[in-house]
Amino acid sequence: MESLTQKGVDAQTFDLASTTVRELNQFLHHELDGPEYIEILNPDGQHSIAVGLDAPVTVDIHGHAGYFIAGMNKQASVTVHGNVGWSVGENIMSGSVLVKGNASECAGASGHGGLVVIEGDASSRCGISMKGCDIVVGGSVGHMSAFMAQAGHLVVCGDADHGLGDSLYEAVIYVRGEIHGLGADAQIEPMQESDYAKVAELLARAGFDHDPKTFKRVASARSLYHWNADHFQEY
Amino acid sequence: MCGIVGLLLKNGALNARLGELVTPMLASMSERGPDSAGLAVFAEQDQGEKFSLFAADSEFDWDALKHALDDEALVGKPGIVSQGRYARLTLDVEPDTLKHWLGEHFPMLHVLSAGHYIDIYKDAGHPAAIAERYGFTGLTGSHAIGHTRMATESAITPAHAHPFTAGEDFCLVHNGSLSNPYSIRRRLERRGIRFETDNDTEAACRFIEWRLGEGETLEDALEEGFSVLDGFYTLLMGTHDKLALVRDPFACKPAVVAETDDYVAIGSEYRALAHLPDVKNATLFEPKPEVIYSWNR
């Protein structure tokens, strides 16, 4: 994925050293008039930048940003040219969020749709409780990623820490590197043609060049779905 | 929620700017902890036995303390530099001896820290106001640890603010909550270790200091801590020559580290680090759960 400002398109600029995040978000929510390109400077770890967007706007954030960046995103394409804190793209509905650096915990948490791309590493609980979005991580993910993930795909080009896919529902995880431990009810399954196609599609959309054949599939064994009579109904 | 910050200067030329660099770190974490704050500062060299004192009475007469100590035949010549309710006392006396003596003669005084390198300032109120009150920007030294508190257990008082300390030249700040502080406390109290508050963090602080007192390295003590401390924690600790950082097995509480040739800086969030010189070119990383990180000055 490439940001539009890199193509030389004029952008409207907000400098968060002199403008508040609230003013920026007010503008993004109420004053956008048709497709626009927004540049944000000096995020300096501030929270909630470009949350709640619902327009096909392109936003470039230059620098490291804080929590909840581009949360609840709908339609917009948001790029962070730096690292982000917790919960980037939380509850994303559609559109895309691209982080050129690393992401802290809970990237793409509860996302319903759209695409979250982390070019670097994502920390723990990446894709926790995702409900239909796609997440592609260029590096590795931390522990308990895709915990209780319900639908959608998490593609990890690097390694995954312990507890991967704990208590998964119907989301599917693809990992290229080493898996340091699966969570409860997660299992490695054979890749099907549909899996190779899905990985190839998501890698292409995220801008990564890997052979889909090098990925493993992790999905739910579904043993947590059913009442286990061997427990003598003690629960 | 709480905010923790730490800064260790590798480049001694920056020591004169320690307070200037660390104060914005602390102030930026005010939203994570607006009800009290504290800062531990370690001097660059051994300054003899010294104590940070805090007066419960805002009108406390520090000259009266000096005169009383002057009259005390058993101890050497005291030096006192006071700033409102805070004072630094330099005096060549064992911490326990001083605490016992203060308890008898000046029970309204609280010993915040003891050691040859450490000074601790802590108080209730907004972190920026506390930084202003005690002149944090003018402080110098080799490393500092700060905390902004949003109390989720135990009272909001200066004594319940972090950093906590035990023994000499050791302090600890904590973001999180422990689930077993009372069982740890009972075990330590059976060994004669006394507590000064009912705060959960004090249990972690006294546990680790106890292990250090038993001759363990800080790293060994922290390794044991993983099996003893239950709950959520990012712990940042300082000794006279190092900073150490650990997170609980679930890494439930945040931390981020920035390292350059000149310093290592730790914050709950990147916001705390954003103003530091050349931070844009720093190596930034998030510490892993149950891994011990330590840096020597």
Side-chain angles (χ1 to χ4, degrees):
Chain A
M1 287 178 27
E2 184 182 12
S3 70
L4 285 161
T5 50
Q6 288 166 342
K7 293 177 185 164
V9 177
D10 285 340
Q12 182 154 359
T13 302
F14 288 82
D15 186 345
L16 293 183
S18 52
T19 306
T20 65
V21 172
R22 181 174 291 244
E23 286 170 325
L24 165 72
N25 287 339
Q26 288 280 319
F27 175 87
L28 294 175
H29 294 168
H30 302 295
E31 295 170 43
L32 282 174
D33 186 16
E36 291 187 48
Y37 309 119
I38 309 294
E39 265 193 328
I40 296 167
L41 308 179
N42 295 310
D44 285 346
Q46 294 190 73
H47 298 169
S48 306
I49 296 169
V51 291
L53 272 169
D54 187 8
V57 62
T58 297
V59 178
D60 279 292
I61 301 170
H62 296 278
H64 304 316
Y67 291 9
F68 312 118
I69 303 307
M72 301 179 283
N73 189 59
K74 215 169 172 182
Q75 303 190 65
S77 303
V78 180
T79 301
V80 183
H81 301 266
N83 303 326
V84 292
W86 284 35
S87 299
V88 62
E90 181 177 87
N91 218 73
I92 181 173
M93 302 303 286
S94 65
S96 65
V97 178
L98 166 64
V99 178
K100 306 290 274 187
N102 300 326
S104 185
E105 306 193 11
C106 304
S110 306
H112 286 253
L115 177 66
V116 176
V117 179
I118 314 293
E119 289 196 352
D121 297 327
S123 182
S124 54
R125 296 177 272 272
C126 177
I128 181 172
S129 192
M130 54 196 277
K131 296 178 172 72
C133 68
D134 293 313
I135 303 175
V136 185
V137 179
S140 300
V141 294
H143 63 276
M144 297 202 83
S145 286
F147 175 51
M148 293 184 79
Q150 290 144 55
H153 305 90
L154 170 63
V155 179
V156 182
C157 300
D159 302 334
D161 268 352
H162 63 85
L164 180 69
D166 194 290
S167 309
L168 266 180
Y169 291 82
E170 293 304 305
V172 178
I173 308 167
Y174 301 103
V175 183
R176 183 164 173 266
E178 200 173 330
I179 296 170
H180 293 289
L182 293 169
D185 207 32
Q187 64 181 10
I188 296 175
E189 298 178 345
M191 291 282 280
Q192 309 290 337
E193 283 308 316
S194 57
D195 294 307
Y196 293 129
K198 179 50 81 177
V199 172
E201 176 217 324
L202 289 172
L203 289 173
R205 285 174 63 199
F208 294 115
D209 186 18
H210 296 300
D211 180 359
K213 300 270 184 203
T214 58
F215 284 78
K216 295 176 278 288
R217 174 191 160 101
V218 175
S220 171
R222 297 189 175 84
S223 60
L224 291 178
Y225 276 42
H226 307 293
W227 182 256
N228 185 345
D230 290 343
H231 290 154
F232 302 109
Q233 302 193 358
E234 285 179 352
Y235 305 131
Chain B
M1 203 155 65
C2 290
I4 64 173
V5 297
L7 180 65
L8 180 142
L9 301 172
K10 300 181 194 170
N11 176 359
L14 288 171
N15 287 0
R17 294 179 58 199
L18 181 68
E20 175 201 328
L21 293 171
V22 81
T23 303
M25 295 176 73
L26 191 74
S28 73
M29 292 294 94
S30 296
E31 287 161 43
R32 295 188 66 91
D35 61 37
S36 35
L39 187 70
V41 177
F42 291 85
E44 51 203 291
Q45 59 191 14
D46 189 339
Q47 301 191 336
E49 193 73 56
K50 57 177 180 170
F51 304 90
S52 295
L53 304 178
F54 187 85
D57 176 1
S58 61
E59 301 296 311
F60 181 76
D61 179 3
W62 293 103
D63 283 339
L65 173 67
K66 187 165 187 331
H67 291 140
L69 285 166
D70 277 335
D71 292 343
E72 184 62 61
L74 293 174
V75 297
K77 197 162 178 57
I80 296 182
V81 181
S82 64
Q83 205 170 4
R85 299 170 77 174
Y86 167 84
R88 179 196 295 157
L89 167 68
T90 49
L91 186 64
D92 190 18
V93 63
E94 286 291 319
D96 284 346
T97 308
L98 180 75
K99 283 183 187 175
H100 183 74
W101 185 85
L102 287 175
E104 281 190 350
H105 300 278
F106 293 94
M108 71 295 288
L109 289 182
H110 181 61
V111 179
L112 298 180
S113 69
H116 289 212
Y117 296 83
I118 192 173
D119 284 309
I120 284 185
Y121 305 81
K122 58 183 192 177
D123 208 341
H126 192 276
I130 293 165
E132 178 77 26
R133 193 175 306 154
Y134 299 107
F136 284 177
T137 53
L139 297 172
T140 64
S142 57
H143 52 299
I145 288 178
H147 185 270
T148 62
R149 181 168 188 239
M150 185 165 85
T152 49
E153 58 79 56
S154 76
I156 299 169
T157 72
H160 288 82
H162 304 212
F164 277 90
T165 185
E168 295 185 60
D169 288 322
F170 174 70
C171 78
L172 175 149
V173 295
H174 172 206
N175 176 21
S177 53
L178 298 179
S179 56
N180 62 344
Y182 286 100
S183 71
I184 295 170
R185 180 181 175 130
R186 281 194 296 274
R187 287 162 58 190
L188 292 174
E189 283 176 335
R190 281 200 289 273
R191 295 176 178 276
I193 293 168
R194 290 197 308 277
F195 281 67
E196 292 175 1
T197 72
D198 56 348
N199 181 280
D200 63 341
T201 302
E202 190 177 349
C205 181
R206 295 201 183 273
F207 168 76
I208 291 165
E209 202 281 334
W210 166 57
R211 297 314 305 158
L212 294 175
E214 296 290 306
E216 286 184 2
T217 63
L218 183 56
E219 288 76 8
D220 287 344
L222 290 173
E223 192 64 50
E224 265 188 272
F226 289 135
S227 59
V228 172
L229 304 174
D230 186 40
F232 301 135
Y233 53 84
T234 295
L235 297 176
L236 179 59
M237 287 141 288
T239 67
H240 80 278
D241 64 350
K242 70 167 70 168
L243 290 186
L245 173 69
V246 291
R247 297 172 80 191
D248 67 76
F250 291 95
C252 274
K253 296 295 174 180
V256 60
V257 180
E259 194 158 7
T260 72
D261 289 342
D262 287 338
Y263 60 79
V264 56
I266 297 138
S268 293
E269 300 177 33
Y270 177 78
R271 263 196 307 171
L273 317 176
H275 68 284
L276 290 172
D278 203 33
V279 74
K280 288 186 168 61
N281 296 313
T283 304
L284 278 173
F285 67 93
E286 186 166 298
K288 286 189 174 289
E290 253 184 345
V291 173
I292 298 165
Y293 296 86
S294 68
W295 297 271
N296 281 65
R297 67 170 177 185

